[in-house]
Amino acid sequence: MSADEGALPDEGLSLWLTDYRMDVGEPWEGRRLVALVGQSAAGSLDFHVHPDGQAVRVWMLEVYPGFQRRGLASVLMDALYAAYPTAWINHGTRSRDDARWWNGYRDPHPRRNVHNRPPGEWAAYFDAVEVASDKAQLVHRNDHDGLDGHRDAVYRYGERGEQEADGYLPLYRPVRAAMLNPAAQPLHGATRLFLPPRLHTHVHDESQDAASRAEALLQHLGHDNLPRTRWYATRQQAFEDAHHEEVFQNRGSTQGGHACGVHAEPTGRGLSSLPHRDVRARGLHPCRRRHPRRAGRDVLA
């Protein structure tokens, strides 16, 4: 934490490692670490994880207005290191504000930072020439802004590293993106509904049969007329996506958002042979309002 950062908030800080999916053309799995103060999103750290879990690429670190300069950026980065205790971390480049923050941040495991180690140790995960280019940009920014940038820890700080990096390119092993296939696997989605008060009460009445509550939702929506949703390989990911939307929209309603799950069964046919609307929702599952730290407990079968 830098010297000019204030104390952490008193409202109750919690961290949520989500399965939120980022669509940025990256074949590695996108994850988001969210800092919550009370029920409000205070900051987030977006990153990508290699399929074997041994390499992480930082995408974006952001603390939202009203929560800045209180140490949350450092808490989020520390949590990322803790969540992947043996993984290589590639921080990429940084904006001017990010560079100033990094200058005051204490890296908990500098030997896992790819900028600090020879390319031969991590070149199977990251393009060594790209990393060398990122480092050169950081050196230029640090020199321009008069920052140290932890230069003593950086491998060959300020030296031209492109030629050395070029020799390690054959070690790089790109990853092919894993695609969801509705013809071969069950898919799960979730959407948030804002229900009339009486229907909301009925759907959340656990003394009623779950099937009848799901039927009431379908009657309200109209059969075969479910809202558009994003699809996931697991139900947990689907409901976390819906909760993520609720947290970041911050509607402030105590009785509005109601998550319902949509389950699509595979047809067994190739994608090219699927007629329009052939893959449909086969089940609708009402659930209670979920808390992000109580994953997997609020779905009614």
Side-chain angles (χ1 to χ4, degrees), residues 88 117 193 276:
W88 290 106
R117 304 301 302 166
L193 306 175
H276 181 60

Side-chain angles (χ1 to χ4, degrees), residues 16-21 29 31 186-191 230-245 259-263 285 287-288 290-300:
W16 176 30
L17 181 57
T18 77
D19 282 318
Y20 177 72
R21 187 174 65 200
E29 180 185 9
R31 305 292 299 277
L187 299 182
H188 303 267
T191 189
R230 299 170 70 178
W231 295 99
Y232 293 87
T234 69
R235 184 182 296 179
Q236 175 67 26
Q237 290 175 320
F239 277 107
E240 286 204 356
D241 182 67
H243 184 81
H244 179 277
E245 180 183 345
C260 67
V262 185
H263 177 70
H285 307 278
C287 74
R288 300 190 296 275
R290 5 183 345 106
H291 190 284
R293 296 186 298 278
R294 296 178 180 174
R297 297 185 59 183
D298 294 359
V299 175
L300 300 176

Side-chain angles (χ1 to χ4, degrees), residues 184-200:
Q185 66 185 118
L187 299 182
H188 303 267
T191 189
R192 293 172 64 223
L193 306 175
F194 294 86
L195 306 177
R198 290 184 62 183
L199 180 58
H200 184 277

Side-chain angles (χ1 to χ4, degrees), residues 4-249:
D4 58 352
E5 287 181 330
L8 292 174
D10 298 326
E11 298 90 333
L13 173 68
S14 59
L15 297 175
W16 176 30
L17 181 57
T18 77
D19 282 318
Y20 177 72
R21 187 174 65 200
M22 295 181 293
D23 296 324
V24 292
E26 169 63 60
W28 294 13
E29 180 185 9
R31 305 292 299 277
R32 172 170 285 177
L33 183 63
V34 180
L36 296 168
V37 175
Q39 292 299 313
S40 299
S44 61
L45 173 55
D46 293 349
F47 58 96
H48 295 91
V49 184
H50 189 275
D52 69 6
Q54 295 304 302
V56 172
R57 180 184 286 111
V58 175
W59 181 257
M60 179 179 293
L61 173 62
E62 185 176 8
V63 177
Y64 308 135
F67 301 99
Q68 296 173 352
R69 312 198 70 78
R70 302 167 77 179
L72 287 179
S74 299
V75 169
L76 284 165
M77 189 60 70
D78 287 350
L80 175 66
Y81 273 90
Y84 299 92
T86 61
W88 290 106
I89 308 292
N90 183 358
H91 292 274
T93 59
R94 300 184 185 95
S95 68
R96 173 169 293 179
D97 289 340
D98 291 340
R100 290 173 176 169
W101 166 78
W102 178 262
N103 198 58
Y105 175 66
R106 180 179 296 177
D107 191 335
H109 297 284
R111 293 181 65 85
R112 289 166 48 201
N113 183 338
V114 299
H115 291 181
N116 299 343
R117 304 301 302 166
E121 297 182 9
W122 45 260
Y125 292 107
F126 304 105
D127 183 318
V129 173
E130 183 178 299
V131 173
S133 175
D134 291 343
K135 290 172 62 178
Q137 292 182 52
L138 292 174
V139 169
H140 175 75
R141 183 174 297 282
N142 290 340
D143 290 346
H144 182 271
D145 293 341
L147 302 175
D148 176 80
H150 305 293
R151 64 183 64 201
D152 291 341
V154 177
Y155 176 72
R156 296 182 59 183
Y157 185 90
E159 299 181 25
R160 295 288 298 264
E162 293 86 347
Q163 184 173 356
E164 179 187 10
D166 189 63
Y168 289 99
L169 280 181
L171 298 180
Y172 181 49
R173 297 291 181 264
V175 174
R176 295 184 60 182
M179 305 298 292
L180 296 177
N181 185 355
Q185 66 185 118
L187 299 182
H188 303 267
T191 189
R192 293 172 64 223
L193 306 175
F194 294 86
L195 306 177
R198 290 184 62 183
L199 180 58
H200 184 277
T201 300
H202 173 68
V203 167
H204 286 80
D205 184 356
E206 296 187 35
S207 66
Q208 302 293 324
D209 180 66
S212 69
R213 290 185 281 152
E215 178 64 23
L217 282 176
L218 284 172
Q219 291 290 348
H220 176 71
L221 292 170
H223 287 268
D224 200 27
N225 192 34
L226 290 174
R228 292 180 179 271
T229 187
R230 299 170 70 178
W231 295 99
Y232 293 87
T234 69
R235 184 182 296 179
Q236 175 67 26
Q237 290 175 320
F239 277 107
E240 286 204 356
D241 182 67
H243 184 81
H244 179 277
E245 180 183 345
E246 180 176 1
V247 167
F248 278 83
Q249 284 189 353

